[in-house]
Each structure stands twice: as structure tokens, then as C-alpha cells.
């Protein structure tokens, strides 16, 4: 149990750092006229990091429920599918009613676009994660280290081919599907890499303890390389597929030292626990703030304040919604329990 808790705390740390990075990128967009950093070009590696984290979480969830496939898929339906559908409908409504923009112009492709997360710019990651979630139980069939290494190498080759080489024929249905940004084969390496780390958590932790704060130097160096690479090569560079594994190991190594700073660890854990919800709603928060905040706040001097407002508000809204859901579920559970007791009393009488 203690081992599982430590693994989850490490995942919360990875999630928090990635979440902060993604928000920095997109808040920078709003300051694009005054903030000229190339950081905003590095959003693709940020999404890839989320895929790695999702791969780790899914495997740990599957390990927790064991071989109960029904529980595994029910949990995914409630925690991922329903929020994905709900938030997609919300963004479609806002885009259509508030922005007066029609994203889906034809009904023939409407279902495919909705399923592939095209309702808003960031939802394609969730759509890709759902595809991987469906095949996670199959990973139980992989037992040996050699098989995992072969799967990791195969997924790398497939990912590179479909993301950077393959040009699908959009005149066919298969081509339209393969042309989607959310199709799993374009992200499969990162999900498998996360699953690989989860299945080899002990050696990974051993390496991390040896690296310790060396991970910080590696982290800074690889972030600098990613920013430079995205600025120089744009979205056509495949080097981020090598950078993300190095970045992940660097963060895992950093956590060995960060967790000793209790307040910092608690702060990042609070963000990490809410990362999925924050990822879903942060564009809405950005849209609202870009509308209601006064013009003078969109200058360099207010960047940190605006970033803190976006992050804090996103976490607060997600936490409030989570507590409301838990409270409602508890209420229904209490009613059900009360009904059961009364039924038993009636049967006795």
C-alpha cells in the first residue's frame, strides 16, 4: 500500500509540472504581443508528457482492480468518457453561441470529429487516451522484460511513421481516421512508455535515487533543448520523441529531492490531483479572463498574476465540481442504504 501511495505521489508531481508547463504555454499566447518567448511552440511535447502520465495511471488503475474488466471499464466510463462528452458539448455550445463559429460544418464527419476530440483544440489528447484505455488490459499478456522492450521499440517505430512519415488519403474513410490528430498510432509510444515505467517502477525508482538532483540539471537542459528545437524546426521535428523519455526520467529523479520539501510537495500534489479536470476546463477559464480582465492587465508586469489566477481558478472549479459529485454520490448512497434497511425491517415485520 505504501509503495502504491509513493507511486501515486510521484505521478501527481509529474502531472503538476506538466500542467503548469501547459498553462504557461497557453497563458503566454494571451501575452503574445508583449511576451515573445518561444515557449508557446513547445505545446506538443507537453501533450506527449500527459500521454506518458496517462499510460502510468491506466496501468496502476488496472493493477488496482486486478483482472476485473467490468470494474476497469466502468471506472473509465465514469471518470473519463462522461467528462469528455460533457465538456465537448459545453465547448461546442460556447463556440457556436458565444463565438458564433461553427466547427462541424457537415453531419457526415460530425460523429468522427466529436469522437476524436475536435470539439475544442485540446480535447484530442483525451480522445487518444480513451483509445489506449481500451487496450490496457491486453498489456497483462506481456510478462517478460524482453517483450516489454520489444513493444516499446515497436511503438516508437509506429509512432514515428504515422506522426511524421505517413500521408493518409483523406478521400477514404480509413484515411480520414488516420489523418486525425487524436488517432492512437500518433501517440502510442508515449502511452506505452508510461505503461513501461509503471510496470518497472522499482528499477526506475532505483535509478531516480541515484540521479537525485542531477535530474534538475537534466530537466533544465532538456527543456532548453525542446524550446530551441521547436523554435528552429517547428512541429516537424521528431526529436521530442527522444526528449520526452529523458524529461520524464529527469522529473522522476527530481521528485526524490522535492518530496523532502514538505510544503512544496503538498502544493504540487494539490495541483497534480486536479490535473485532468484542470486540463479540461482551463481553456474556458482563459476565455473568460481574456474577456473580463481589463486591458492593462495584459502587459508583462501582470503575467505572473494572470497565470496564478488561471491556475488557481481552474483548480478551484475542478475541486468544487469533484466535491459536489462526491457529495451527491454519498447522498444517493445514504438514501439507498436507508431504503435497504427499511426494506429489511418490513420483511422482518
Amino acid at each position: 500500500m505504501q509503495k502504491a501511495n509513493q507511486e501515486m505521489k510521484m505521478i501527481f508531481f509529474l502531472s503538476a509540472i506538466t500542467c503548469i508547463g501547459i498553462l504557461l504555454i497557453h497563458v503566454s499566447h494571451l501575452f503574445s504581443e508583449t511576451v515573445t518567448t518561444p515557449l508557446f511552440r513547445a505545446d506538443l511535447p507537453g501533450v506527449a508528457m500527459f500521454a506518458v502520465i496517462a499510460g502510468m495511471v491506466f496501468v496502476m488503475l488496472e493493477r488496482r482492480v486486478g483482472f476485473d474488466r467490468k470494474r476497469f471499464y466502468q471506472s473509465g466510463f465514469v471518470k473519463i468518457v462522461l467528462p469528455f462528452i460533457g465538456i465537448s458539448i459545453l465547448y461546442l455550445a460556447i463556440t457556436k453561441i458565444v463565438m458564433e463559429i461553427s466547427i462541424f460544418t457537415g453531419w457526415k464527419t460530425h460523429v468522427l470529429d466529436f469522437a476524436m476530440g475536435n470539439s475544442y483544440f485540446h480535447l484530442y489528447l483525451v480522445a487518444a487516451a480513451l483509445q489506449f484505455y481500451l487496450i490496457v488490459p491486453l498489456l497483462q499478456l506481456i510478462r517478460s522484460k524482453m517483450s516489454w522492450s520489444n513493444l516499446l521499440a515497436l511503438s516508437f517505430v509506429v509512432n514515428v511513421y504515422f506522426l511524421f512519415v505517413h500521408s493518409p488519403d483523406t478521400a477514404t474513410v480509413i484515411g480520414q481516421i488516420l489523418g486525425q490528430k487524436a488517432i492512437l498510432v500518433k501517440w502510442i509510444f508515449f502511452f506505452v512508455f508510461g505503461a513501461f515505467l509503471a510496470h518497472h517502477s522499482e528499477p526506475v525508482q532505483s535509478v531516480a535515487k541515484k540521479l537525485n538532483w542531477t535530474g534538475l540539471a537534466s530537466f533544465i537542459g532538456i527543456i532548453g533543448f525542446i524550446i530551441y528545437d521547436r523554435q528552429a524546426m517547428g512541429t516537424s521535428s521528431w526529436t521530442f520523441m527522444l526528449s520526452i523519455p529523458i524529461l520524464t526520467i529527469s522529473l522522476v529523479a527530481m521528485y526524490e529531492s522535492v518530496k523532502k520539501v514538505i510544503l512544496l510537495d503538498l502544493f504540487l500534489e494539490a495541483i497534480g490531483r486536479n490535473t485532468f479536470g484542470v486540463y479540461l476546463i482551463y481553456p474556458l477559464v482563459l476565455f473568460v479572463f481574456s474577456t473580463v480582465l481589463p486591458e492593462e492587465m495584459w502587459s508583462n508586469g501582470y503575467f505572473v498574476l494572470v497565470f496564478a489566477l488561471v491556475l488557481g481558478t481552474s483548480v478551484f472549479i475542478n475541486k468544487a465540481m469533484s466535491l459536489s459529485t462526491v457529495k451527491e454520490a454519498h447522498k444517493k448512497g445514504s438514501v439507498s442504504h436507508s431504503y435497504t434497511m427499511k426494506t429489511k425491517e418490513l420483511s422482518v415485520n
Side-chain angles (χ1 to χ4, degrees), residues 90-226:
L90 175 61
Y91 279 117
L92 281 175
I94 292 173
T95 305
K96 178 67 176 179
I97 298 171
V98 180
M99 300 180 182
E100 298 182 347
I101 300 174
S102 295
I103 297 179
F104 302 150
T105 56
W107 284 101
K108 291 183 178 180
T109 59
H110 182 83
V111 175
L112 177 62
D113 284 333
F114 187 90
M116 287 295 176
N118 294 330
S119 300
Y120 214 63
F121 72 88
H122 68 309
L123 295 178
Y124 69 92
L125 171 62
V126 185
L130 283 172
Q131 296 168 61
F132 183 72
Y133 193 84
L134 293 174
I135 66 172
V136 166
L138 296 178
L139 298 179
Q140 282 288 345
L141 301 175
I142 304 173
R143 298 294 183 182
S144 68
K145 293 182 179 179
M146 180 63 70
S147 297
W148 268 108
S149 299
N150 290 337
L151 177 62
L152 192 63
L154 177 63
S155 66
F156 182 88
V157 173
V158 170
N159 208 139
V160 169
Y161 175 74
F162 281 100
L163 190 59
F164 298 108
V165 179
H166 181 63
S167 297
D169 180 9
T170 55
T172 64
V173 175
I174 298 298
Q176 290 176 8
I177 294 174
L178 291 176
Q180 293 288 329
K181 196 173 183 179
I183 193 68
L184 181 59
V185 290
K186 294 182 178 179
W187 302 98
I188 186 65
F189 170 70
F190 304 105
F191 287 112
V192 171
F193 179 68
F196 179 90
L197 293 180
H199 273 283
H200 299 80
S201 58
E202 289 186 4
V204 169
Q205 290 291 332
S206 177
V207 171
K209 289 179 180 178
K210 292 179 181 179
L211 292 175
N212 209 330
W213 275 110
T214 306
L216 176 60
S218 176
F219 172 75
I220 295 173
I222 203 66
I223 287 293
F225 173 77
I226 289 173

Side-chain angles (χ1 to χ4, degrees), residues 75-92:
S75 177
F77 182 78
V78 173
K79 295 179 180 179
I80 305 174
V81 176
L82 290 181
F84 172 69
I85 294 174
I87 204 70
S88 296
I89 294 173
L90 175 61
Y91 279 117
L92 281 175

Side-chain angles (χ1 to χ4, degrees), residues 207-326:
V207 171
K209 289 179 180 178
K210 292 179 181 179
L211 292 175
N212 209 330
W213 275 110
T214 306
L216 176 60
S218 176
F219 172 75
I220 295 173
I222 203 66
I223 287 293
F225 173 77
I226 289 173
I227 293 174
Y228 167 78
D229 185 54
R230 306 309 285 179
Q231 185 181 28
M233 302 296 295
T235 58
S236 62
S237 175
W238 58 271
T239 55
F240 82 98
M241 294 194 63
L242 299 176
S243 303
I244 296 305
I246 298 173
L247 181 63
T248 305
I249 298 300
S250 299
L251 286 171
V252 172
M254 278 178 58
Y255 181 64
E256 291 299 315
S257 296
V258 170
K259 68 182 181 182
K260 297 175 183 178
V261 185
I262 298 176
L263 291 179
L264 178 60
D265 187 30
L266 291 174
F267 171 72
L268 292 174
E269 182 180 338
I271 297 174
R273 286 181 179 274
N274 294 277
T275 294
F276 180 63
V278 169
Y279 184 80
L280 292 180
I281 64 176
Y282 83 87
L284 178 59
V285 175
L286 280 173
F287 173 73
V288 171
F289 279 142
S290 66
T291 304
V292 302
L293 289 181
E295 187 67 28
E296 56 268 20
M297 289 196 68
W298 301 106
S299 59
N300 284 346
Y302 291 98
F303 179 81
V304 175
L305 175 60
V306 173
F307 172 78
L309 284 173
V310 172
L311 176 60
T313 303
S314 300
V315 171
F316 175 79
I317 292 174
N318 179 69
K319 194 67 176 177
M321 292 174 64
S322 299
L323 291 175
S324 176
T325 303
V326 171

